[in-house]
Amino acid sequence: MDKYTSFIFKYKKQLIVLFFILNIVSLIGITRIKLNTDFSMFAPDESVYQDKLDELEEVFGELNQIIVLVEHSQVDSVTMSDLRLIQSSLELMDNNVYVQGVAPETIKMNTELGPVDVAFEDISGNDLISYYNAFGEFSPLIQSDEVYYSSFTVFINSEFGKDDVGEIEDLLGEFSYSSYVSGDAYNQNKISDYIIKILLMLPPLTILTILLVFRWQMGAFKPTFMSILPAGIGSLWTFGLIGWIGNEISILTAIVPIFIIVIGSADGLHFMSHFQDSKKEGKDNKTSLNETLKLVGIPMIVTTLTSMAGFISLLSMNTDSIWDLAIFSAVGILFAGIATWYVLPLVLTNNINVLPKHENKKSLDLSVYLRKIWGIPSLVIILIILVGAFFTFSNINNEFNMLMVYKDSTIVSTNAEKVQEVNGGSIPIYVTVYLEDSPISIESLNVINSLVEELEGLDEVSKVVNPYKLMDIVYNLSGTGEIPNDTALNMIYTNIASDPNSTMHNLISVEDSVVRLLVFSEDLDNDTLLLIEETAVNFNDSASVTGVQYLMMDLNVNIGVMQLYSIFLALGIVLAMLIITLKSFKIAVYSLLPIVITVIALYGFLGATGIPLNITTVIIFSITIGVGIDYAVHFSSVYKYYLKETNNNKLAIEKAYGNSSRPIITNSLGISLGLSILMLSPLTIHFNISILMWVSMIVSVVITLTLLPTIFGLRKKG
């Protein structure tokens, strides 16, 4: 370490210049970052449902649409004028292909002279209500509890984005009516607003929280700030890199800087704690740097690598969203580790006073209480954890859907709930049937109607949009009974399809002999989706099911196995690192035990609370392994150091505990409180990560600081 310290002192100016260049380049890179709001990122890289969705788009074109509901108390001339203005404005927006709504320019109405196109403004409110009442579930005018809801289905192109969502919201804001917007595209693009808020608000709050926690440990602001500095720099460099290589930020990678800050600050805290202890003994900066690096230099390298290993193990999961989070979190922690070795010694070459002005009198020292539960109490705690997890493990669920992303208080969740209530659903499931004959035949009509009857018989299905039901409604406007033959059916279809914007074009493809049904379910649970698919396919072997939610379900049903692969991979990597670093197989295995117990505790907690094991919560398991092992590494390394120095096992345990317990406890509090900032996120997935991190850190610290001293105390050496 002497040579490295001398190098820092000798090339101080050049290293400072390099530091500023790196930061400037990173800041420029950040300005190039783009956002990714596509929910298909939660699908496995190879999904049969994605293939089906692609096939559907080849047949029917862009499938994306959003639903706009406008709530009003009456249908009078003023309201109708406003509704017409809303629809015409929606139609003029650049990336809206066409709009099917309650207020088209003209409506074909039956008169004494036959069907006539009547201008919307010439229709009375009562006539409009009577006209739409005949359309049943296809009616864009819905009455519920003496309140009317006018519906506009907006079909959009692939260029539709965040700005278009804003334009629609601004339009609706010009009117005094309550309005609601929902649909896949709306939900996905609304994410960008939340990502920006998360990036601008949560990392600074995280830094402030950790500053306050570390300040309690360090007793002075300067060493506290320097403890966090490497993690902040690591976050800056990482996002600069993301911008330069052209990657995008998603709802998962948006919290990467928070992970880097709370996890990467561990090495900075340990470094500054030991440096501060050395300075208290009256040693100069260069000597203190040498001693600090000799004591914690290797453990810092190991903890950086093990933290990276936790994230890298996530690469065993077959989805791009997790890959990005895993890679960039690992890179960020690596950058934070490099900054600890590079930036802190560079700053400390100056005569900076890192000692508190007054001796810090800590009113609460948690290490004293943990010391009391060495031995049997520690084993009892572990037994309780194992037994509890055994009984709750079977309750774990793997649910994750688009609406679970958002908190109930968000506008996205509120809108979806209202659209679900009024429209019978907000996110459609696509049931597609490939017919042997032309879809414009009575035989095809009977096949599809039978399937629809089967689907509507499910309690889990609230509504099925069936194109043949629309044709039946149109037929009964001028006739009665069932459509008699193929000729009549063809005439009705031709009449409806003559409108290029008719919904019929999105439901029937005569050229490909394909019919698409829109199924709205009561919920988006895995079991519900599987039941709908099973019912459709078993009833008609030419039917298939797909939709954005099926992409997410595809990942849900495989997440348990993928999670186990990830855990075993992380534990294997970490164990190999520990054996190499500690040069003792036994101590390496002992050091791994607290993490294994913590992982079991997390499974038990998921089962007990009902928090789902899904693509977002699996992250915590890898973080637990990568971060929690840092505490075991730190304790075991310091224990070995003092065992070699004193050759007294009991004294080595006491000195290791006294030296490492407070930094470990402080760091775990910093991580837990730092990630508590995620509770302020508008997204439920971030809130769950915060809760699980508290459980993980509490269990990991308690077991590390009680079980390891107990096990090491049984050794005979010394």
Side-chain angles (χ1 to χ4, degrees), residues 642-696:
Y642 284 118
L643 183 62
K644 182 179 179 181
E645 183 181 85
T646 65
N647 200 36
N648 184 313
N649 191 53
K650 184 176 181 181
L651 181 59
I653 294 172
E654 293 289 351
K655 288 177 74 69
Y657 187 81
N659 187 281
S660 63
S661 58
R662 286 197 293 116
I664 287 174
I665 293 170
T666 303
N667 181 250
S668 68
L669 283 175
I671 289 177
S672 300
L673 289 171
L675 285 177
S676 294
I677 297 301
L678 289 176
M679 293 182 180
L680 302 177
S681 168
L683 308 182
T684 302
I685 57 175
H686 294 161
F687 182 89
N688 289 342
I689 287 174
S690 175
I691 295 296
L692 292 174
M693 202 66 208
W694 267 103
V695 176
S696 167

Side-chain angles (χ1 to χ4, degrees), residues 395-399 404 602-614 616-617 684-685 687-692 695:
N395 297 329
I396 294 175
N397 71 82
N398 303 118
E399 298 294 343
M404 287 176 66
L602 279 174
Y603 273 115
F605 186 77
L606 290 176
T609 60
I611 295 176
L613 174 67
N614 56 39
T616 59
T617 52
T684 302
I685 57 175
F687 182 89
N688 289 342
I689 287 174
S690 175
I691 295 296
L692 292 174
V695 176

Side-chain angles (χ1 to χ4, degrees), residues 203-257:
L205 289 174
T206 302
I207 291 174
L208 178 61
T209 302
I210 296 180
L211 272 172
L212 294 174
V213 176
F214 284 12
R215 172 66 176 76
W216 168 72
Q217 160 72 15
M218 304 299 295
F221 177 77
K222 287 181 182 178
T224 301
F225 175 78
M226 292 173 66
S227 297
I228 302 173
L229 180 61
I233 292 169
S235 183
L236 172 65
W237 290 353
T238 302
F239 267 62
L241 176 64
I242 291 173
W244 280 113
I245 65 177
N247 254 65
E248 297 175 325
I249 300 298
S250 69
I251 56 174
L252 286 184
T253 50
I255 57 176
V256 165

Side-chain angles (χ1 to χ4, degrees), residues 266-281:
D267 286 342
L269 175 65
H270 291 311
F271 184 100
M272 291 307 302
S273 294
H274 291 293
F275 181 83
Q276 193 180 55
D277 289 341
S278 181
K279 289 294 291 181
K280 287 178 181 178
E281 297 175 4

